Amino acid sequence: MELLKPSPANSSPITPLGFLERSATIYGDCTSIIYNSKTYTWNQTNQRCLQLASALKSVMGIQGGDVISVLSPNLPAMYELHFAVPMSGAILNNINTRLDARTISVILCHSESKLIFVDFLSHSVILEAFSLFPPEIKPPVVILITDNDEDNSSSTVSLTYEGLLMKGDPNFKWVRPGSEWDPMVLNYTSGTTSAPKGVVHSHRGLFFTTVDSLIDWSVPKQPVFLWTLAMFHANGWCYPWGMAAVGGTNICLRKFDFFFFDKRRHFIRRLTQMITMLIPINKINDPGKQRSRLLEILSIITTVFSYFISYTITISLNMRDNTSIKRLRKKLNFTNV
C-alpha cells in the first residue's frame, strides 16, 4: 500500500497553465486569438508562450519567484503573458491601465518587480512612475509592447515584446510548480481608499477558480469570446486560462465601442460570449432606452469565487430564441446570422 501514496508518477501539482498544452494538442489548428487583422492558432500561441518563457529566463535572467509586471490593455501580448510569465517560474503582476503614476510607483516598489511589459501608449506614465521611486530602489527593466496597427514612433525603448520573444526557444520545457500552493499571480487593489493592497493567488486556487467559472456559466467547447472585460481586473476573472481549457477563440481589442462592432462584422458574426459591466453595453444600446433594453438583454449572475465575490453581467449572443438577443443582433445587422 505504500506504493499508492502520492509520487511523481501518479500526482503532480495542479495548475491552469496545463490548459494551454492541452489546447495545443486537441485544438492545435483552431483559432486561439484574433486581433484586428492578426490571427493565431493554439499551436502558435503555445509556441509563442514557450518562447517568451524561455527568453525571460535565458535572456532576462528571471529566477523563480521574481515578480514581472504588465501594464497593457487587452492585446494578444497581454493574453500570452498570463501563461508565459508563470511558465518561466515568475509571478505575474497585472496593473490597471487607468491608475496614475503615483499609484503605479507604489505597486512596483512594494512588489519589487524585476521587469515590466508596457503598452507603448502607457510608456510616459511608467517613466513618470519611475521618477517617484525612492533613490535606493532600482526601477524594473521596461519591455515595450508595440502595436503594428498603431503609431509607435514616439517610443524610444529598444527592447520590445516581439524582439524578446524571438530570442526564446520554442521547445523550452516550462517550469512546473514545485507545489500547487506556489504563488502564480500577485494582484493589487486600485488604492481608492488607501494604498494599494496586494493579494497573492496560488496555482491551485487559480485552477479551481478557472474550472468553477466554466462550469457555473456553462461555457461550451470552442466559444468565441470577446474580451470586453479588462484582463488586468482579477486576471479577467480567470478566463485567459479558461478559454485555453475549452479551446475558445479570444477576440482581443484595445478599446471597446460601437465602432468595433461596425468595422469587424466578419468575425463578430461568430461571437458567442462576452463578460462586461454596464458601461460598455450602454455604448451599443440606444441611450434613450438603456434601462428597458438592458434589463431585457442582460442576465445578472452572482458568482462566488475562492477569493472574492463579484457581480458580473454576461451576454450569450448565441441565444437565438431570446427576443432581446434578437433585438441586439438586429441593431448590429446580425439578423441573418
Side-chain angles (χ1 to χ4, degrees), residues 22-23 26-27 30 42 214 217-225 242-249 270 272-273 318:
R22 177 179 182 274
S23 269
I26 300 175
Y27 306 108
C30 299
W42 279 111
L214 295 173
W217 291 341
S218 302
V219 178
K221 289 183 179 179
Q222 295 187 278
V224 180
F225 190 90
M243 286 301 104
V246 294
T249 297
R270 298 188 290 118
T272 61
Q273 264 81 29
N318 60 352

PDB file of all heavy atoms in Angstrom, residues 22-23 26-27 30 42 214 217-225 242-249 270 272-273 318:
ATOM      1  N   ARG A  22      -2.747  21.449 -23.355  1.00  0.00           N
ATOM      2  CA  ARG A  22      -3.866  20.607 -23.790  1.00  0.00           C
ATOM      3  C   ARG A  22      -4.514  21.161 -25.057  1.00  0.00           C
ATOM      4  O   ARG A  22      -4.810  20.415 -25.997  1.00  0.00           O
ATOM      5  CB  ARG A  22      -4.903  20.521 -22.663  1.00  0.00           C
ATOM      6  CG  ARG A  22      -6.152  19.724 -23.011  1.00  0.00           C
ATOM      7  CD  ARG A  22      -7.104  19.678 -21.826  1.00  0.00           C
ATOM      8  NE  ARG A  22      -8.283  18.878 -22.126  1.00  0.00           N
ATOM      9  CZ  ARG A  22      -9.374  19.344 -22.716  1.00  0.00           C
ATOM     10  NH1 ARG A  22      -9.430  20.626 -23.086  1.00  0.00           N
ATOM     11  NH2 ARG A  22     -10.401  18.556 -22.941  1.00  0.00           N
ATOM     12  N   SER A  23      -4.732  22.470 -25.099  1.00  0.00           N
ATOM     13  CA  SER A  23      -5.355  23.074 -26.280  1.00  0.00           C
ATOM     14  C   SER A  23      -4.475  22.942 -27.512  1.00  0.00           C
ATOM     15  O   SER A  23      -4.967  22.757 -28.624  1.00  0.00           O
ATOM     16  CB  SER A  23      -5.669  24.552 -26.022  1.00  0.00           C
ATOM     17  OG  SER A  23      -6.957  24.701 -25.498  1.00  0.00           O
ATOM     18  N   ILE A  26      -5.155  19.315 -28.602  1.00  0.00           N
ATOM     19  CA  ILE A  26      -6.512  18.976 -29.063  1.00  0.00           C
ATOM     20  C   ILE A  26      -7.021  19.945 -30.123  1.00  0.00           C
ATOM     21  O   ILE A  26      -7.645  19.546 -31.108  1.00  0.00           O
ATOM     22  CB  ILE A  26      -7.479  18.950 -27.863  1.00  0.00           C
ATOM     23  CG1 ILE A  26      -7.026  17.895 -26.850  1.00  0.00           C
ATOM     24  CG2 ILE A  26      -8.910  18.672 -28.325  1.00  0.00           C
ATOM     25  CD1 ILE A  26      -7.848  17.868 -25.585  1.00  0.00           C
ATOM     26  N   TYR A  27      -6.757  21.243 -29.921  1.00  0.00           N
ATOM     27  CA  TYR A  27      -7.293  22.272 -30.819  1.00  0.00           C
ATOM     28  C   TYR A  27      -6.179  22.994 -31.578  1.00  0.00           C
ATOM     29  O   TYR A  27      -6.312  24.165 -31.916  1.00  0.00           O
ATOM     30  CB  TYR A  27      -8.083  23.304 -30.008  1.00  0.00           C
ATOM     31  CG  TYR A  27      -9.166  22.728 -29.134  1.00  0.00           C
ATOM     32  CD1 TYR A  27      -9.024  22.690 -27.742  1.00  0.00           C
ATOM     33  CD2 TYR A  27     -10.342  22.224 -29.682  1.00  0.00           C
ATOM     34  CE1 TYR A  27     -10.022  22.172 -26.929  1.00  0.00           C
ATOM     35  CE2 TYR A  27     -11.345  21.700 -28.878  1.00  0.00           C
ATOM     36  CZ  TYR A  27     -11.178  21.677 -27.502  1.00  0.00           C
ATOM     37  OH  TYR A  27     -12.168  21.162 -26.703  1.00  0.00           O
ATOM     38  N   CYS A  30      -6.909  25.208 -34.535  1.00  0.00           N
ATOM     39  CA  CYS A  30      -8.061  26.104 -34.360  1.00  0.00           C
ATOM     40  C   CYS A  30      -7.583  27.486 -33.917  1.00  0.00           C
ATOM     41  O   CYS A  30      -6.530  27.633 -33.300  1.00  0.00           O
ATOM     42  CB  CYS A  30      -9.029  25.530 -33.329  1.00  0.00           C
ATOM     43  SG  CYS A  30      -9.716  23.921 -33.786  1.00  0.00           S
ATOM     44  N   TRP A  42      -3.925  27.757 -31.728  1.00  0.00           N
ATOM     45  CA  TRP A  42      -3.489  27.325 -30.401  1.00  0.00           C
ATOM     46  C   TRP A  42      -2.071  26.761 -30.431  1.00  0.00           C
ATOM     47  O   TRP A  42      -1.320  26.895 -29.458  1.00  0.00           O
ATOM     48  CB  TRP A  42      -4.470  26.303 -29.827  1.00  0.00           C
ATOM     49  CG  TRP A  42      -5.669  26.965 -29.230  1.00  0.00           C
ATOM     50  CD1 TRP A  42      -6.955  26.935 -29.692  1.00  0.00           C
ATOM     51  CD2 TRP A  42      -5.685  27.798 -28.067  1.00  0.00           C
ATOM     52  NE1 TRP A  42      -7.772  27.700 -28.893  1.00  0.00           N
ATOM     53  CE2 TRP A  42      -7.017  28.236 -27.883  1.00  0.00           C
ATOM     54  CE3 TRP A  42      -4.715  28.220 -27.168  1.00  0.00           C
ATOM     55  CZ2 TRP A  42      -7.398  29.072 -26.831  1.00  0.00           C
ATOM     56  CZ3 TRP A  42      -5.084  29.056 -26.116  1.00  0.00           C
ATOM     57  CH2 TRP A  42      -6.410  29.468 -25.960  1.00  0.00           C
ATOM     58  N   LEU A 214     -16.036  28.156 -15.567  1.00  0.00           N
ATOM     59  CA  LEU A 214     -16.517  27.493 -16.779  1.00  0.00           C
ATOM     60  C   LEU A 214     -17.785  26.691 -16.502  1.00  0.00           C
ATOM     61  O   LEU A 214     -18.727  26.687 -17.306  1.00  0.00           O
ATOM     62  CB  LEU A 214     -15.432  26.566 -17.334  1.00  0.00           C
ATOM     63  CG  LEU A 214     -14.152  27.237 -17.841  1.00  0.00           C
ATOM     64  CD1 LEU A 214     -13.111  26.181 -18.198  1.00  0.00           C
ATOM     65  CD2 LEU A 214     -14.433  28.125 -19.041  1.00  0.00           C
ATOM     66  N   TRP A 217     -20.956  29.104 -15.488  1.00  0.00           N
ATOM     67  CA  TRP A 217     -21.522  29.867 -16.596  1.00  0.00           C
ATOM     68  C   TRP A 217     -21.769  29.006 -17.830  1.00  0.00           C
ATOM     69  O   TRP A 217     -22.026  29.524 -18.910  1.00  0.00           O
ATOM     70  CB  TRP A 217     -20.612  31.051 -16.930  1.00  0.00           C
ATOM     71  CG  TRP A 217     -20.620  32.088 -15.853  1.00  0.00           C
ATOM     72  CD1 TRP A 217     -21.553  32.246 -14.873  1.00  0.00           C
ATOM     73  CD2 TRP A 217     -19.642  33.108 -15.636  1.00  0.00           C
ATOM     74  NE1 TRP A 217     -21.219  33.299 -14.061  1.00  0.00           N
ATOM     75  CE2 TRP A 217     -20.056  33.848 -14.499  1.00  0.00           C
ATOM     76  CE3 TRP A 217     -18.466  33.472 -16.282  1.00  0.00           C
ATOM     77  CZ2 TRP A 217     -19.334  34.929 -14.008  1.00  0.00           C
ATOM     78  CZ3 TRP A 217     -17.749  34.548 -15.792  1.00  0.00           C
ATOM     79  CH2 TRP A 217     -18.182  35.262 -14.669  1.00  0.00           C
ATOM     80  N   SER A 218     -21.664  27.688 -17.657  1.00  0.00           N
ATOM     81  CA  SER A 218     -21.981  26.733 -18.739  1.00  0.00           C
ATOM     82  C   SER A 218     -21.297  27.110 -20.048  1.00  0.00           C
ATOM     83  O   SER A 218     -21.918  27.139 -21.113  1.00  0.00           O
ATOM     84  CB  SER A 218     -23.501  26.661 -18.946  1.00  0.00           C
ATOM     85  OG  SER A 218     -24.153  26.273 -17.762  1.00  0.00           O
ATOM     86  N   VAL A 219     -20.014  27.397 -19.969  1.00  0.00           N
ATOM     87  CA  VAL A 219     -19.262  27.768 -21.171  1.00  0.00           C
ATOM     88  C   VAL A 219     -19.072  26.529 -22.042  1.00  0.00           C
ATOM     89  O   VAL A 219     -18.565  25.507 -21.571  1.00  0.00           O
ATOM     90  CB  VAL A 219     -17.889  28.368 -20.799  1.00  0.00           C
ATOM     91  CG1 VAL A 219     -17.090  28.696 -22.055  1.00  0.00           C
ATOM     92  CG2 VAL A 219     -18.077  29.615 -19.945  1.00  0.00           C
ATOM     93  N   PRO A 220     -19.461  26.580 -23.314  1.00  0.00           N
ATOM     94  CA  PRO A 220     -19.352  25.402 -24.185  1.00  0.00           C
ATOM     95  C   PRO A 220     -17.935  25.223 -24.716  1.00  0.00           C
ATOM     96  O   PRO A 220     -17.058  26.060 -24.494  1.00  0.00           O
ATOM     97  CB  PRO A 220     -20.314  25.743 -25.324  1.00  0.00           C
ATOM     98  CG  PRO A 220     -20.218  27.236 -25.428  1.00  0.00           C
ATOM     99  CD  PRO A 220     -20.057  27.728 -24.013  1.00  0.00           C
ATOM    100  N   LYS A 221     -17.723  24.143 -25.443  1.00  0.00           N
ATOM    101  CA  LYS A 221     -16.442  23.947 -26.111  1.00  0.00           C
ATOM    102  C   LYS A 221     -16.292  24.956 -27.243  1.00  0.00           C
ATOM    103  O   LYS A 221     -17.253  25.290 -27.923  1.00  0.00           O
ATOM    104  CB  LYS A 221     -16.343  22.529 -26.688  1.00  0.00           C
ATOM    105  CG  LYS A 221     -16.193  21.433 -25.655  1.00  0.00           C
ATOM    106  CD  LYS A 221     -16.026  20.084 -26.340  1.00  0.00           C
ATOM    107  CE  LYS A 221     -15.849  18.974 -25.321  1.00  0.00           C
ATOM    108  NZ  LYS A 221     -15.704  17.650 -25.982  1.00  0.00           N
ATOM    109  N   GLN A 222     -15.090  25.428 -27.421  1.00  0.00           N
ATOM    110  CA  GLN A 222     -14.711  26.330 -28.507  1.00  0.00           C
ATOM    111  C   GLN A 222     -15.655  27.530 -28.672  1.00  0.00           C
ATOM    112  O   GLN A 222     -16.170  27.789 -29.758  1.00  0.00           O
ATOM    113  CB  GLN A 222     -14.607  25.553 -29.818  1.00  0.00           C
ATOM    114  CG  GLN A 222     -13.491  24.516 -29.805  1.00  0.00           C
ATOM    115  CD  GLN A 222     -13.280  23.867 -31.146  1.00  0.00           C
ATOM    116  OE1 GLN A 222     -13.986  22.933 -31.512  1.00  0.00           O
ATOM    117  NE2 GLN A 222     -12.312  24.379 -31.895  1.00  0.00           N
ATOM    118  N   PRO A 223     -15.870  28.284 -27.609  1.00  0.00           N
ATOM    119  CA  PRO A 223     -16.664  29.506 -27.746  1.00  0.00           C
ATOM    120  C   PRO A 223     -15.853  30.591 -28.449  1.00  0.00           C
ATOM    121  O   PRO A 223     -14.630  30.490 -28.574  1.00  0.00           O
ATOM    122  CB  PRO A 223     -16.935  29.899 -26.291  1.00  0.00           C
ATOM    123  CG  PRO A 223     -15.718  29.406 -25.563  1.00  0.00           C
ATOM    124  CD  PRO A 223     -15.343  28.110 -26.245  1.00  0.00           C
ATOM    125  N   VAL A 224     -16.536  31.610 -28.918  1.00  0.00           N
ATOM    126  CA  VAL A 224     -15.873  32.797 -29.459  1.00  0.00           C
ATOM    127  C   VAL A 224     -16.092  33.903 -28.436  1.00  0.00           C
ATOM    128  O   VAL A 224     -17.207  34.383 -28.252  1.00  0.00           O
ATOM    129  CB  VAL A 224     -16.442  33.189 -30.832  1.00  0.00           C
ATOM    130  CG1 VAL A 224     -15.737  34.433 -31.364  1.00  0.00           C
ATOM    131  CG2 VAL A 224     -16.281  32.035 -31.817  1.00  0.00           C
ATOM    132  N   PHE A 225     -15.022  34.279 -27.768  1.00  0.00           N
ATOM    133  CA  PHE A 225     -15.084  35.102 -26.560  1.00  0.00           C
ATOM    134  C   PHE A 225     -14.553  36.502 -26.843  1.00  0.00           C
ATOM    135  O   PHE A 225     -13.400  36.669 -27.239  1.00  0.00           O
ATOM    136  CB  PHE A 225     -14.250  34.428 -25.469  1.00  0.00           C
ATOM    137  CG  PHE A 225     -14.391  35.025 -24.100  1.00  0.00           C
ATOM    138  CD1 PHE A 225     -15.360  34.570 -23.225  1.00  0.00           C
ATOM    139  CD2 PHE A 225     -13.542  36.032 -23.677  1.00  0.00           C
ATOM    140  CE1 PHE A 225     -15.482  35.099 -21.946  1.00  0.00           C
ATOM    141  CE2 PHE A 225     -13.654  36.569 -22.409  1.00  0.00           C
ATOM    142  CZ  PHE A 225     -14.624  36.106 -21.539  1.00  0.00           C
ATOM    143  N   GLY A 242      -9.262  29.910 -18.779  1.00  0.00           N
ATOM    144  CA  GLY A 242     -10.492  29.193 -19.093  1.00  0.00           C
ATOM    145  C   GLY A 242     -10.694  28.992 -20.583  1.00  0.00           C
ATOM    146  O   GLY A 242     -11.137  27.929 -21.025  1.00  0.00           O
ATOM    147  N   MET A 243     -10.372  30.013 -21.380  1.00  0.00           N
ATOM    148  CA  MET A 243     -10.526  29.882 -22.830  1.00  0.00           C
ATOM    149  C   MET A 243      -9.568  28.837 -23.398  1.00  0.00           C
ATOM    150  O   MET A 243      -9.880  28.156 -24.375  1.00  0.00           O
ATOM    151  CB  MET A 243     -10.299  31.235 -23.515  1.00  0.00           C
ATOM    152  CG  MET A 243     -11.447  32.215 -23.336  1.00  0.00           C
ATOM    153  SD  MET A 243     -13.024  31.587 -23.975  1.00  0.00           S
ATOM    154  CE  MET A 243     -13.854  31.134 -22.442  1.00  0.00           C
ATOM    155  N   ALA A 244      -8.408  28.700 -22.776  1.00  0.00           N
ATOM    156  CA  ALA A 244      -7.481  27.651 -23.208  1.00  0.00           C
ATOM    157  C   ALA A 244      -8.042  26.275 -22.863  1.00  0.00           C
ATOM    158  O   ALA A 244      -7.887  25.321 -23.630  1.00  0.00           O
ATOM    159  CB  ALA A 244      -6.119  27.844 -22.551  1.00  0.00           C
ATOM    160  N   ALA A 245      -8.711  26.175 -21.725  1.00  0.00           N
ATOM    161  CA  ALA A 245      -9.257  24.887 -21.300  1.00  0.00           C
ATOM    162  C   ALA A 245     -10.304  24.360 -22.275  1.00  0.00           C
ATOM    163  O   ALA A 245     -10.408  23.147 -22.489  1.00  0.00           O
ATOM    164  CB  ALA A 245      -9.865  25.012 -19.905  1.00  0.00           C
ATOM    165  N   VAL A 246     -11.083  25.266 -22.876  1.00  0.00           N
ATOM    166  CA  VAL A 246     -12.164  24.837 -23.775  1.00  0.00           C
ATOM    167  C   VAL A 246     -11.843  25.109 -25.242  1.00  0.00           C
ATOM    168  O   VAL A 246     -12.702  24.950 -26.109  1.00  0.00           O
ATOM    169  CB  VAL A 246     -13.496  25.525 -23.390  1.00  0.00           C
ATOM    170  CG1 VAL A 246     -13.968  25.047 -22.031  1.00  0.00           C
ATOM    171  CG2 VAL A 246     -13.361  27.046 -23.408  1.00  0.00           C
ATOM    172  N   GLY A 247     -10.613  25.516 -25.529  1.00  0.00           N
ATOM    173  CA  GLY A 247     -10.215  25.740 -26.919  1.00  0.00           C
ATOM    174  C   GLY A 247     -10.955  26.878 -27.586  1.00  0.00           C
ATOM    175  O   GLY A 247     -11.256  26.818 -28.781  1.00  0.00           O
ATOM    176  N   GLY A 248     -11.252  27.923 -26.832  1.00  0.00           N
ATOM    177  CA  GLY A 248     -12.018  29.040 -27.369  1.00  0.00           C
ATOM    178  C   GLY A 248     -11.203  29.966 -28.254  1.00  0.00           C
ATOM    179  O   GLY A 248      -9.981  29.869 -28.342  1.00  0.00           O
ATOM    180  N   THR A 249     -11.903  30.872 -28.918  1.00  0.00           N
ATOM    181  CA  THR A 249     -11.269  31.920 -29.715  1.00  0.00           C
ATOM    182  C   THR A 249     -11.366  33.227 -28.940  1.00  0.00           C
ATOM    183  O   THR A 249     -12.464  33.670 -28.596  1.00  0.00           O
ATOM    184  CB  THR A 249     -11.963  32.083 -31.078  1.00  0.00           C
ATOM    185  OG1 THR A 249     -11.818  30.874 -31.823  1.00  0.00           O
ATOM    186  CG2 THR A 249     -11.353  33.236 -31.866  1.00  0.00           C
ATOM    187  N   ARG A 270     -19.632  35.482 -35.443  1.00  0.00           N
ATOM    188  CA  ARG A 270     -19.470  34.194 -34.765  1.00  0.00           C
ATOM    189  C   ARG A 270     -19.402  34.336 -33.245  1.00  0.00           C
ATOM    190  O   ARG A 270     -19.213  33.352 -32.535  1.00  0.00           O
ATOM    191  CB  ARG A 270     -18.196  33.514 -35.273  1.00  0.00           C
ATOM    192  CG  ARG A 270     -18.222  33.203 -36.759  1.00  0.00           C
ATOM    193  CD  ARG A 270     -17.033  32.359 -37.164  1.00  0.00           C
ATOM    194  NE  ARG A 270     -15.777  33.093 -37.102  1.00  0.00           N
ATOM    195  CZ  ARG A 270     -14.765  32.771 -36.312  1.00  0.00           C
ATOM    196  NH1 ARG A 270     -14.855  31.756 -35.496  1.00  0.00           N
ATOM    197  NH2 ARG A 270     -13.651  33.482 -36.332  1.00  0.00           N
ATOM    198  N   THR A 272     -19.995  34.383 -29.427  1.00  0.00           N
ATOM    199  CA  THR A 272     -20.925  33.639 -28.572  1.00  0.00           C
ATOM    200  C   THR A 272     -20.932  34.143 -27.134  1.00  0.00           C
ATOM    201  O   THR A 272     -21.955  34.071 -26.466  1.00  0.00           O
ATOM    202  CB  THR A 272     -20.575  32.139 -28.547  1.00  0.00           C
ATOM    203  OG1 THR A 272     -19.248  31.962 -28.025  1.00  0.00           O
ATOM    204  CG2 THR A 272     -20.672  31.533 -29.937  1.00  0.00           C
ATOM    205  N   GLN A 273     -19.806  34.607 -26.614  1.00  0.00           N
ATOM    206  CA  GLN A 273     -19.737  35.019 -25.214  1.00  0.00           C
ATOM    207  C   GLN A 273     -18.994  36.339 -25.046  1.00  0.00           C
ATOM    208  O   GLN A 273     -18.069  36.646 -25.798  1.00  0.00           O
ATOM    209  CB  GLN A 273     -19.005  33.964 -24.367  1.00  0.00           C
ATOM    210  CG  GLN A 273     -19.900  32.985 -23.645  1.00  0.00           C
ATOM    211  CD  GLN A 273     -20.382  31.872 -24.538  1.00  0.00           C
ATOM    212  OE1 GLN A 273     -19.700  31.495 -25.481  1.00  0.00           O
ATOM    213  NE2 GLN A 273     -21.558  31.339 -24.250  1.00  0.00           N
ATOM    214  N   ASN A 318     -25.449  33.646 -28.621  1.00  0.00           N
ATOM    215  CA  ASN A 318     -25.957  32.510 -29.378  1.00  0.00           C
ATOM    216  C   ASN A 318     -27.322  32.054 -28.883  1.00  0.00           C
ATOM    217  O   ASN A 318     -27.821  31.017 -29.275  1.00  0.00           O
ATOM    218  CB  ASN A 318     -24.969  31.337 -29.337  1.00  0.00           C
ATOM    219  CG  ASN A 318     -24.699  30.862 -27.921  1.00  0.00           C
ATOM    220  OD1 ASN A 318     -25.122  31.494 -26.968  1.00  0.00           O
ATOM    221  ND2 ASN A 318     -23.990  29.758 -27.797  1.00  0.00           N
TER     222      ASN A 318
END
